[in-house]
């Protein structure tokens, strides 16, 4: 080995392994403490009695792993059923030099992952493809993200890198939840090793650009970021809202495809993706920001260039067209994914082995068509009602206008964060570096929930079927209320919001 972390910066083997060992040690500190406690109990209570305690924790895990069959996440894609997708995956495997057996499986979320599995005593790989990506990405961009993922396994796979990245993931998991006693030890280690993780991704991007073309990879990186952000911000909320009422949307993916065609949805998703970087105070992100990834890619020719058949250079190597692949079993796959997502515990975990087997069953839920429901169910109230009520309770003002005016006074005085804390007490559990950032989002969202109905009553209208905070004024002006509100809170200038209240015909009346 040359001391290089999989195509990243020059790093000595000693430093890489020592960093891995340090992260693993910190990640396992709670378990080490547990066994120290068991040892102490053994000295006082008795060795055999104390030894029985960890067995109560270990036996279920051993039974699950050793007795129950391992279930792969996702729905199997057989080459005979989906020959076009199978051909694309096979072509990417050949072009990246990926020679291991590869199982393709469709999952409900916008993800592309590979991991090792054992089949018949031999080693193989499972490639998980998110249905939202398969439906939305042009075939060339889908080829790019597949090539990126296969490049991880084929070109940048070694024991040292796997150990380091696994230790980073394990340590990052210890920083989830309310209590983070390991943060002072974990954060410096995560920050120090994040460049190595990012170099892994940039190297895989470069390999995908060699195979498919830089333009295709650049467009795929940007579009995947938008799809992931929009899915988290829209589709998950739709499912959660309907499941709470005993229903599930059979046309979830059809509705999501339409939402992605809305430029307002795409712009909002891109902005939220960019904002995620500011919230990563512990450097747990495994991928560089979208802007960093696209800037690092080589500038190549158009994706419509013909394939030269060469394995060198950075030009376009494969062109599959600008339309998404059409799955022959699309309806069945969509129905399976929607049910899996709706029945998953907490609407998550569907990417885990056997994931999606929650307490609910499909027969427990009533199928409905989301596109036939009133758009205001999701666009306007959504979480708007509770948010407006929380603002009224925090300010002590029962009327929406009074609550807004009290909030704007707090913004002008600079003590708005206390108001946000009263609405969302959980802010105190966040890392100190992001509390005010999240607090401003909480306050802006609550103010928008109170302001939107006032403007609608004054003759404004919703600009988008999917987003309730973008309104069109009677004169045709389009205003993103959230953008106005977040700017007002962060800048301490409530004047633009007062102007909107005056346009709603309420501010002057209240002041009079």
């Amino acid at each position: 080995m040359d001391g290089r972390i999989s195509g990243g910066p020059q790093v000595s083997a000693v430093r890489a392994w020592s960093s891995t060992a340090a992260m693993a040690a910190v990640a396992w500190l709670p378990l080490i403490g547990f066994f120290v406690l068991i040892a102490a109990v053994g000295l006082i209570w008795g060795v055999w009695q104390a030894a029985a305690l960890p067995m109560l924790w270990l036996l279920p895990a051993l039974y699950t792993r050793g007795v129950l069959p391992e279930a792969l996440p996702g729905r199997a894609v057989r080459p005979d059923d989906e020959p076009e997708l199978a051909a694309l995956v096979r072509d990417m495997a050949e072009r990246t030099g990926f020679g291991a057996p590869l199982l393709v499986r469709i999952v409900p979320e916008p993800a592309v992952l590979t991991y090792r599995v054992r089949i018949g005593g031999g080693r193989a790989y499972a490639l998980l493809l998110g249905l939202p990506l398969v439906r939305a990405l042009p075939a060339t961009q889908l080829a790019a993200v597949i090539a990126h993922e296969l490049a991880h396994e084929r070109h940048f796979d070694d024991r040292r890198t796997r150990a380091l990245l696994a230790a980073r993931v394990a340590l990052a998991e210890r920083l989830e939840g309310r209590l983070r006693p390991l943060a002072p030890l974990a954060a410096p280690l995560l920050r120090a090793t994040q460049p190595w993780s990012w170099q892994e991704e940039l190297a895989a991007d470069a390999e995908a650009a060699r195979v498919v073309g830089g333009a295709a990879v650049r467009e795929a990186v940007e579009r995947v970021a938008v799809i992931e952000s929009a899915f988290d911000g829209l589709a998950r909320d739709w499912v959660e809202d309907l499941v709470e009422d005993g229903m599930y949307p059979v046309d979830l993916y059809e509705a999501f495809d339409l939402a992605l065609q809305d430029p307002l949805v795409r712009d909002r998703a891109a902005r939220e993706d960019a904002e995620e970087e500011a919230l990563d105070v512990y450097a747990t992100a495994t991928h560089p920001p979208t802007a960093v990834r696209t800037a690092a890619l080589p500038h190549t020719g158009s994706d419509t260039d013909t394939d030269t058949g060469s394995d060198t250079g950075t030009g376009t190597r494969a062109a599959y067209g600008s339309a998404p692949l059409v799955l022959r079993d699309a309806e069945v796959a969509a129905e399976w994914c929607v049910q899996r997502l709706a029945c998953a515990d907490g609407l998550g975990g569907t990417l885990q082995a056997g994931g999606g087997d929650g307490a609910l069953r499909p027969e427990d839920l009533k199928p409905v068509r989301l596109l036939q429901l009133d758009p205001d169910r999701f666009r306007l109230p959504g979480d708007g009602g509770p948010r407006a009520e929380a603002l009224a309770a925090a300010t002590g003002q029962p009327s929406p206008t009074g609550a807004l005016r009290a909030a704007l006074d707090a913004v002008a005085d600079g003590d708005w964060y206390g108001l946000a804390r009263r609405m969302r007490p959980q802010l105190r559990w966040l890392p100190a570096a992001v509390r005010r950032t999240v607090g401003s989002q909480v306050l802006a969202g609550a103010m928008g929930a109170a302001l939107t109905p006032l403007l609608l009553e004054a003759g404004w209208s919703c600009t988008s079927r999917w987003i309730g905070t973008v309104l069109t004024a009677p004169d045709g002006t389009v205003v993103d209320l959230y953008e106005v509100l977040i700017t007002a809170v962060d800048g301490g200038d409530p004047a633009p919001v007062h102007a909107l209240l005056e346009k709603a015909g309420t501010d002057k009346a209240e002041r009079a």
Side-chain angles (χ1 to χ4, degrees):
M1 299 296 291
D2 62 357
R4 186 182 295 270
I5 296 292
S6 298
Q10 289 288 339
V11 179
S12 69
V14 173
R15 183 183 174 194
W17 282 115
S18 62
S19 296
T20 300
M23 288 189 292
V26 174
W28 285 94
L29 272 179
L31 187 59
I32 294 172
F34 172 73
F35 280 105
V36 169
L37 177 62
I38 294 299
V41 172
L43 293 175
I44 299 172
W45 186 21
V47 175
W48 292 109
Q49 292 89 335
L53 293 178
M55 292 304 296
L56 296 176
W57 173 63
L58 290 173
L59 283 177
L62 292 175
Y63 174 78
T64 300
R65 175 169 295 185
V67 178
L68 297 180
E70 181 180 3
L72 295 177
R75 182 176 185 272
V77 176
R78 296 176 176 82
D80 292 342
D81 296 335
E82 302 292 349
E84 293 83 3
L85 179 59
L88 187 149
V89 172
R90 184 168 55 250
D91 190 27
M92 289 300 98
E94 292 175 354
R95 290 172 181 271
T96 56
F98 191 92
L102 190 61
L103 307 176
V104 180
R105 302 182 71 86
I106 294 292
V107 293
E109 301 167 311
V112 179
L113 299 171
T114 55
Y115 68 98
R116 297 180 180 183
V117 296
R118 297 194 68 83
I119 298 179
R123 190 178 74 174
Y125 287 83
L127 172 64
L128 308 184
L129 294 178
L131 184 61
L133 299 182
V134 176
R135 292 174 64 104
L137 290 179
T140 302
Q141 295 178 24
L142 181 62
V145 297
I146 293 173
H148 170 101
E149 198 60 34
L150 296 182
H152 277 306
E153 301 293 343
R154 170 64 180 86
H155 297 280
F156 313 114
D157 180 28
D158 61 77
R159 188 167 51 182
R160 186 198 314 174
T161 302
R162 280 190 172 276
L164 186 141
L165 296 181
R168 274 185 53 83
V169 171
L171 187 54
E173 290 177 350
R174 299 296 186 267
L175 300 181
E176 298 177 354
R178 292 182 175 181
L179 299 178
R180 293 173 293 274
L182 299 179
L185 296 175
L189 292 170
L190 290 170
R191 293 192 188 99
T193 56
Q194 189 179 59
W196 304 344
S197 175
W198 285 12
Q199 284 295 335
E200 279 287 310
E201 300 301 327
L202 296 179
D205 283 343
E207 172 63 11
R210 181 191 70 79
V211 172
V212 183
V217 176
R218 183 176 296 103
E219 293 167 358
V221 167
E222 294 174 342
R223 189 159 178 81
V224 168
V226 167
I227 294 172
E228 290 176 343
S229 181
F231 193 86
D232 288 340
L234 291 177
R236 289 186 185 277
D237 288 346
W238 297 340
V239 176
E240 184 174 7
D241 181 271
L242 290 172
V243 168
E244 287 179 354
D245 291 340
M247 301 179 286
Y248 74 95
V250 294
D251 60 342
L252 172 70
Y253 294 102
E254 180 184 349
F256 186 64
D257 290 344
L258 291 175
L260 288 176
Q261 297 176 18
D262 188 337
L264 293 175
V265 170
R266 296 196 300 269
D267 291 345
R268 175 69 60 85
R271 184 180 67 193
E272 291 176 350
D273 173 67
E275 291 173 350
E276 284 295 315
E277 182 183 0
L279 302 179
D280 185 27
V281 295
Y282 294 134
T284 60
T286 58
H287 288 64
T290 302
V292 174
R293 293 180 65 183
T294 55
L297 285 166
H299 290 274
T300 62
S302 169
D303 286 338
T304 59
D305 293 346
T306 57
D307 183 7
T308 64
S310 171
D311 288 334
T312 61
T314 58
T316 299
R317 295 290 175 257
Y320 296 97
S322 57
L325 288 179
V326 177
L327 298 180
R328 300 188 180 188
D329 208 13
E331 292 185 5
V332 175
E335 182 179 5
W336 185 93
C337 286
V338 169
Q339 293 179 354
R340 203 70 168 174
L341 193 65
C343 296
D345 289 320
L347 299 183
T350 59
L351 298 183
Q352 303 298 323
D357 294 320
L360 290 174
R361 298 171 301 172
E363 52 266 31
D364 297 329
L365 302 172
K366 175 185 176 182
V368 296
R369 291 193 60 82
L370 189 149
L371 291 173
Q372 294 178 356
L373 299 176
D374 185 354
D376 288 351
R377 175 188 177 100
F378 306 101
R379 180 182 58 196
L380 293 183
D383 192 39
R387 288 183 182 182
E389 293 171 3
L391 182 66
T395 58
Q397 299 291 331
S399 71
T401 305
L404 279 168
R405 287 179 55 194
L408 293 174
D409 290 342
V411 169
D413 295 339
D415 58 356
W416 59 265
Y417 181 71
L419 184 59
R421 274 283 301 270
R422 290 196 291 275
M423 286 189 294
R424 188 74 61 85
Q426 298 89 337
L427 287 173
R428 68 181 184 274
W429 296 108
L430 296 178
V434 300
R435 287 175 190 163
R436 293 186 69 84
T437 299
V438 178
S440 67
Q441 297 172 355
V442 169
L443 182 57
M447 293 168 66
L451 178 58
T452 298
L454 299 177
L455 292 172
L456 292 175
E457 291 174 4
W460 293 50
S461 60
C462 289
T463 309
S464 169
R465 175 188 175 94
W466 317 103
I467 300 176
T469 58
V470 180
L471 303 182
T472 301
D475 63 1
T477 303
V478 176
V479 178
D480 187 335
L481 296 185
Y482 182 79
E483 187 69 28
V484 173
L485 291 165
I486 200 74
T487 302
V489 174
D490 291 341
D493 180 14
V497 187
H498 278 301
L500 289 174
L501 278 172
E502 291 182 2
K503 290 181 180 180
T506 59
D507 199 40
K508 288 183 178 179
E510 286 284 335
R511 292 183 183 276

